[in-house]
Amino acid sequence: MQELPRVCVIGAGSSGITVCKSLQDKGIPYDCYEKGSDVGGNWRYKNDNGLSNIYKSLHINTHRDRMEYKDYPMPHWYADYPNHEPIQKYFLDYVDHFGLRKNIKFKNGVAKVEPQEDGTYLVVSEKGDRNFYDAVIVANGHHWSPRWPEPDFPGKFNGKIIHSHDYVDPQHPIDLVGKKVVVLGMGNSAMDISVELSRPGVAKKVFLSSRRGAWIIPNYLFGKPLDKSTEMIPPGTPFWIKQFLFSIMLKIGVGKMEDFGLPKPDHKPGEAHPTISQDILVRLGRGDIKYKPVIQEYNGNKVKFADGSEEEIDAIIYCTGYNVKFPFLHSDFISAPDNYLPLFHRTFKPGLKNLFFVGLYQPLGAIMPLAEFQGKWLAEYLTGNYLLPNSAEMQRQIKDYETTMKKRYVSSARHTMQVDYEDFLYYMQKELKAGKKRASKTSNSLPIEAKAKYKQTTKSSSNGHGKDLRKSKKSALAKV
């Protein structure tokens, strides 16, 4: 019987924990490294990992049924769109139910991953542990490194500027009560923060500013959760049909964006990642929030906008997205300039048979069920039950997919990882089925040889004096 490879999972957020579950199901030895003291990643409020941060009022914007893991449904009594507290409890229950904690190294993130000549990886943890692994699964998330406008707006602003990543509530990290605030951006965070600040007794004035318009989609339409209605459209349905149906729904159920003081979108519905908010249009219609075009320049306490208007402003919140980064990988080995990293089904990098990515996409829907399937897929691959196409075929499929996405979506760093939930899952399932047939023709041989467990490892000292605890070469060789 072939020995299974030893795997390192980076991150115990919503993607990492479901990968761990799939590896455990298949008996694949693994360690999961997590910077924080518990699981949950971005959904853990006040996470002590130093990277994740969510605002206190955050709710999911995907229906709970569309967000849950298939192996562990959310409680039926959860609200349609719960806030972060029950979501975090759900992740805690998931980990405890499947007994995953024993393999998670908490408060011990990964500092460095170094590929070795024999194909293994040396993983150095933040506590100084040095361990070898046959494969690495990157599940560190992509909502932790704030992206700022480049270049920044000219002039000097005398007020406060923060990124939405740092926003917690109207009084933290800066006091915005009674202040005049500009929220820059047209994504979900910009909508949520603008709405919260515009409530009576909070900010004095709220201005929503952006470079371009967007289609605002409510959570509910015709009394039903809107995102649940997409389940009725079969996977693989041509985009133009989806676009037509979606346009009709928006026209009848929402109306024109211009009627609410927003600019007319420079694209059709479905050609940019949608912005979801049940409240923003009402707040704009009531005058609680005023729209302004993009910032043109700063002048002390004043902000000048592209339409020539000026406003005295106390604070600005940049809701301008995130950079995709892998600080533990050398940039010459793996990087994502302008958030671009071509991957086969957003999972496999052609030419690397033992480095994988999970959750590295921006879906029209929730990441969790997609990450769950990626975990199951990788477990089949690591046990020899799935065989990848050759590198040239993977490159061809990646190019075809990117060509399709570029034709459809507005050019933006936000759309370099865009996927449609149903189609993405459907085509992953289709590829897994095809790969299982390929694997059966090769007697299901393992794609990765188990070498790591026989190599020397170094653990950090528990006495704090920096003394290494090493396995002897003699002991390691005796196992070969």
Side-chain angles (χ1 to χ4, degrees), residues 344 348 353 377-378 380-390 393-394 430-448:
F344 181 64
F348 301 90
K353 66 177 183 178
W377 186 6
L378 287 172
E380 295 293 338
Y381 170 76
L382 292 167
T383 52
N385 295 316
Y386 166 82
L387 179 64
L388 281 165
N390 61 50
E393 175 60 20
M394 286 193 285
K430 188 176 180 180
E431 171 54 32
L432 175 58
K433 185 177 180 180
K436 283 188 172 183
K437 289 182 179 179
R438 291 192 294 267
S440 65
K441 295 177 182 179
T442 63
S443 301
N444 298 97
S445 59
L446 294 181
I448 303 169

Side-chain angles (χ1 to χ4, degrees), residues 105-352:
K105 299 175 181 292
F106 290 108
K107 301 184 77 170
N108 194 15
V110 171
K112 190 184 300 183
V113 175
E114 296 181 341
Q116 305 295 294
E117 290 184 1
D118 64 355
T120 61
Y121 291 96
L122 171 62
V123 174
V124 183
S125 78
E126 292 176 344
K127 288 185 177 180
D129 298 341
R130 296 166 64 86
N131 292 292
F132 291 96
Y133 294 91
D134 300 298
V136 172
I137 300 176
V138 179
N140 69 319
H142 57 278
H143 290 131
W144 57 269
S145 177
R147 187 179 184 91
W148 299 84
E150 294 180 4
D152 199 359
F153 304 111
K156 182 180 179 181
F157 180 60
N158 292 340
K160 302 288 188 180
I161 296 178
I162 63 170
H163 193 278
S164 58
H165 182 70
D166 298 312
Y167 178 84
V168 177
D169 59 41
Q171 292 181 290
H172 302 91
I174 58 176
D175 189 357
L176 299 170
V177 176
K179 303 297 195 304
K180 291 171 284 187
V181 185
V182 171
V183 179
L184 180 66
M186 284 292 279
N188 297 327
S189 295
M191 302 299 107
D192 289 350
I193 294 171
S194 295
V195 167
E196 180 165 69
L197 294 179
S198 70
R199 290 177 179 138
V202 188
K204 185 176 182 180
K205 288 185 179 180
V206 178
F207 298 95
L208 178 64
S209 173
S210 69
R211 295 186 186 277
R212 58 160 55 101
W215 296 98
I216 310 296
I217 303 172
N219 295 103
Y220 291 91
L221 198 60
F222 309 121
K224 300 293 183 180
L226 181 59
D227 55 334
K228 289 277 287 180
S229 64
T230 61
E231 295 176 345
M232 301 169 61
I233 303 175
T237 299
F239 171 65
W240 69 268
I241 295 178
K242 295 180 182 179
Q243 188 176 52
F244 174 76
L245 294 173
F246 191 42
S247 297
I248 294 297
M249 291 175 65
L250 286 179
K251 185 176 181 179
I252 296 174
V254 180
K256 296 179 180 178
M257 297 296 100
E258 306 95 286
D259 292 342
F260 300 92
L262 295 172
K264 182 179 180 180
D266 59 0
H267 56 277
K268 296 179 180 179
E271 293 179 355
H273 193 83
T275 299
I276 301 172
S277 176
Q278 190 68 28
D279 303 314
I280 189 69
L281 296 180
V282 174
R283 297 285 180 175
L284 286 162
R286 290 176 175 176
D288 298 329
I289 300 171
K290 184 174 178 58
Y291 178 80
K292 289 283 187 179
V294 72
I295 295 169
Q296 189 174 69
E297 65 178 346
Y298 296 130
N299 184 16
N301 293 326
K302 292 185 176 181
V303 176
K304 184 177 181 180
F305 299 94
D307 62 357
S309 64
E310 282 189 336
E311 298 286 347
E312 287 193 0
I313 299 297
D314 299 302
I316 300 172
I317 303 175
Y318 284 1
C319 303
T320 46
Y322 293 86
N323 293 308
V324 175
K325 290 186 176 180
F326 313 105
F328 40 80
L329 294 170
H330 196 284
S331 59
D332 290 341
F333 179 52
I334 295 287
S335 63
D338 293 323
N339 290 359
Y340 175 67
L341 178 62
L343 298 170
F344 181 64
H345 291 277
R346 304 302 311 156
T347 307
F348 301 90
K349 183 170 177 57
L352 292 176

Side-chain angles (χ1 to χ4, degrees), residues 7 9 14-25 30 94 100 137 139 358 371-372 374-376 378-379:
V7 180
V9 179
S14 61
S15 294
I17 58 175
T18 191
V19 168
C20 291
K21 194 263 181 184
S22 293
L23 296 177
Q24 179 174 279
D25 286 348
Y30 75 92
Y94 178 90
L100 304 177
I137 300 176
V358 173
E372 180 182 38
Q374 283 180 293
K376 293 178 182 297
L378 287 172

